[in-house]
Amino acid sequence: MDRNESARSFRERLELSEAPSWGPFTNIQLDDGVLLQFAESPVEIQMQRYTFMVDDDLFDRAYRRLCDAGIEHWADPQMRRPGETNTGHGGRGVYFRDPAGHAIELLTRPYLTLP
């Protein structure tokens, strides 16, 4: 995994600015203050799934960039509906892989709403 490539990919998809990085980490900060730190692992890491809630406008722009870049994407986590988005839970969603091979999901509505 190239930490800089992975961080760049997230910044582009989620329209984020660069954050100060230090030591072995390349950092990005999400709008809600969450800091994601990317580091190159000395061992192979099994694929993980990460989900990001985005608004409808950002979803449209991110999806357009996925399509324009020819990035393979799916409507479902089993990756059986290629080239589609889903409309589950009253919103939209799409799955794709980041440069490190992790499954990334963009959603416009949460799966459930807690009271």
Side-chain angles (χ1 to χ4, degrees):
M1 170 182 116
D2 180 320
R3 67 185 182 154
N4 294 312
E5 176 66 17
S6 289
R8 183 194 59 73
S9 169
F10 275 84
R11 283 194 312 271
E12 287 177 3
R13 304 281 175 268
L14 300 176
E15 298 179 356
L16 301 167
S17 301
E18 289 191 45
S21 296
W22 58 85
F25 301 108
T26 299
N27 301 320
I28 60 172
Q29 188 161 11
L30 303 180
D31 292 336
D32 61 1
V34 171
L35 183 69
L36 298 180
Q37 295 186 300
F38 297 84
E40 294 171 20
S41 176
V43 297
E44 176 118 8
I45 296 177
Q46 187 175 10
M47 182 197 74
Q48 303 292 313
R49 175 176 155 192
Y50 300 96
T51 302
F52 295 90
M53 186 74 56
V54 298
D55 65 30
D56 287 303
D57 291 336
L58 178 54
F59 185 92
D60 289 339
R61 292 188 304 272
Y63 186 68
R64 191 172 325 115
R65 283 192 293 273
L66 286 173
C67 292
D68 289 349
I71 295 173
E72 191 172 16
H73 58 279
W74 303 267
D76 61 312
Q78 297 81 17
M79 301 176 179
R80 291 187 218 142
R81 294 176 48 201
E84 299 179 39
T85 63
N86 69 62
T87 56
H89 311 285
R92 294 179 292 158
V94 68
Y95 297 82
F96 60 95
R97 292 189 185 267
D98 76 351
H102 297 296
I104 307 301
E105 177 183 22
L106 299 181
L107 283 179
T108 61
R109 302 289 180 277
Y111 292 130
L112 59 100
T113 304
L114 299 175

